[in-house]
Amino acid sequence: MDESTQLQQAQLAAVLGGDPSQFETLISSLMSSSNETRSQAELIFNLAKQHDPNSLCLKLAHLLQFSPHLDARAMSAVLLRKLLTRDDSYLWPRLSPQTQSSLKSILLACLQQESVKSNTKKLCDTVSELASGILPDNGWPELLPFMFQCVTSDSVKLQESAFLIFAQLSQYIGESLIPFIKELHGVFLQCLGSSTNFDVKIAALNAVINFIQCLDNSSDRDRFQDLLPSMIRTLTEALNNGNEATAQEALELLIELAGTEPRFLRRQLVDVVGSMLQIAEAESLEEGTRHLAIEFVITLAEARERAPGMMRKLPQFISRLFGILMRMLLDIEDDPAWHSAENEDEDAGETSNYSVGQECLDRLAISLGGNTIVPVASEQLPAYLAAPEWQKHHAALIALAQIAEGCSKVHRIDDYILLSVTCD
């Protein structure tokens, strides 16, 4: 054995020995900004992984549970997750039954005692990764009863943690949760209907949407129809409380549902789309919130294969959406310097509203087709073309161009293009 190998073995023995501070130093070296220090620590960590995975995992778990240092607990959660993920370096099968049992208990204990939110989320990730590998083979029978206990507890922190884990498990191993569909429906309904904590409601909304997406059977999905009003209420309550960051999270989740399971929305389509257009029209809200509400409706219009013709049955909403997008095209800035500009900058003066309006008109024309979009355009564009403001002429021309690009039936709008040129 050469000298460097002997040194490494000695360092390994010290790190995995009785003095916990040595191991904590190793973990802090893995976060060092010095490449040399970090590389040395990685070498020792990989040796431990190779030669004594049991001690390594238990040391990480001990640090996760007892270290007073936030960074050390966070790093331990991340490292454990990597070691317990089913990939090329999956350690779980190499661990003794005692180590496996200890790790499962410690992870659930840490979930209950961790007080820092960012660390709790990392812990949820670690629990979800391990569970997705062992739950399908009944390798963690205590987990689901623990999670159902959490969602019905008085602790909002435990409620949120359980829903975060349910959301990830629905993505990874949804089929293992289907036997608990009745219980899940109950806890989702209870939380979305009565919780007053927005973090918990968003975590529950995420879990519901992921679970609905993992259900292959449409009658199973339909069991969750009665949750939809509460799901939408999570969004509207956040807006009414001035909590737009939460509202935007809710909108992003609902957009995902609209894209993957549009038929789930069909029975309450009028109410849902009406709520979204109301948000899109509310000028007191942030642009980002209004744009996400528009994205939801456009996503539904685009879901032709999964829900053919669903949006075409709502002509009043198509007309309203077209009007919203036209008003967005008016949000363009004028600059006197343009009139003497030598170089053409086709994006000059464009605002975020303008760009979203232009892109969404194109997508709407493609998804609905000429027969649906042209009558709506023919109703609204003459007023824009007859108006004295150049912004309205410009908006009408841009709208015509987007519709022409998006529609296969371009000949239907030739008259309007001629009209716009003469009015301009």
Side-chain angles (χ1 to χ4, degrees), residues 160-226:
E160 184 185 8
S161 296
F163 284 125
L164 288 171
I165 295 168
F166 274 130
Q168 293 195 57
L169 294 183
S170 299
Q171 260 184 327
Y172 300 153
I173 50 160
E175 65 283 354
S176 298
L177 297 179
I178 292 173
F180 303 93
I181 190 168
K182 190 179 173 188
E183 293 86 343
L184 283 167
H185 177 272
V187 296
F188 291 150
L189 191 62
Q190 165 70 19
C191 170
L192 289 169
S194 62
S195 176
T196 54
N197 183 285
F198 281 120
D199 290 339
V200 172
K201 291 182 93 154
I202 286 291
L205 184 64
N206 191 10
V208 172
I209 287 172
N210 283 1
F211 189 61
I212 290 167
Q213 289 178 89
C214 83
L215 296 171
D216 293 329
N217 185 321
S218 62
S219 63
D220 282 345
R221 283 196 298 274
D222 285 347
R223 290 173 73 162
F224 289 81
Q225 282 281 327
D226 58 343

Side-chain angles (χ1 to χ4, degrees), residues 107-182:
L107 284 171
L108 298 189
C110 289
L111 268 180
Q112 293 174 85
Q113 70 187 44
E114 179 57 66
S115 57
V116 178
K117 185 160 188 156
S118 59
N119 272 8
T120 301
K121 289 198 169 174
K122 290 182 176 72
L123 260 168
C124 291
D125 292 342
T126 305
V127 168
S128 302
E129 283 288 358
L130 176 59
S132 67
I134 64 175
L135 204 61
D137 303 322
N138 201 30
W140 201 346
E142 310 85 357
L143 180 64
L144 290 177
F146 169 81
M147 285 165 63
F148 281 115
Q149 210 178 324
C150 286
V151 292
T152 52
S153 77
D154 294 332
S155 161
V156 293
K157 181 179 77 76
L158 287 178
Q159 289 171 24
E160 184 185 8
S161 296
F163 284 125
L164 288 171
I165 295 168
F166 274 130
Q168 293 195 57
L169 294 183
S170 299
Q171 260 184 327
Y172 300 153
I173 50 160
E175 65 283 354
S176 298
L177 297 179
I178 292 173
F180 303 93
I181 190 168
K182 190 179 173 188

Side-chain angles (χ1 to χ4, degrees), residues 239-348:
L239 289 172
N240 293 339
N241 280 276
N243 192 342
E244 287 202 50
T246 298
Q248 288 179 11
E249 280 185 73
L251 279 164
E252 282 166 357
L253 292 168
L254 291 165
I255 288 165
E256 189 184 330
L257 181 65
T260 56
E261 294 297 339
R263 292 177 69 81
F264 181 75
L265 302 162
R266 70 191 183 283
R267 291 183 194 169
Q268 297 171 61
L269 194 64
V270 171
D271 291 340
V272 173
V273 174
S275 298
M276 292 297 174
L277 291 178
Q278 210 174 342
I279 294 167
E281 288 167 333
E283 292 185 7
S284 58
L285 297 176
E286 290 173 18
E287 273 185 12
T289 305
R290 297 168 67 195
H291 293 173
L292 285 168
I294 292 167
E295 179 64 31
F296 176 92
V297 184
I298 297 283
T299 300
L300 268 186
E302 288 176 331
R304 292 190 304 280
E305 287 175 23
R306 289 175 177 269
M310 198 162 73
M311 280 298 289
R312 285 201 195 98
K313 293 169 188 163
L314 301 174
Q316 75 279 23
F317 285 147
I318 294 165
S319 178
R320 203 166 144 197
L321 176 60
F322 190 87
I324 293 167
L325 298 177
M326 286 303 298
R327 288 192 292 279
M328 288 169 77
L329 290 183
L330 297 176
D331 193 355
I332 188 164
E333 294 158 0
D334 194 3
D335 184 342
W338 294 348
H339 304 288
S340 56
E342 291 180 13
N343 297 321
E344 188 179 320
D345 178 4
E346 61 180 43
D347 297 330

Side-chain angles (χ1 to χ4, degrees), residues 63 81 148 247 370:
L63 205 57
R81 177 175 60 78
F148 281 115

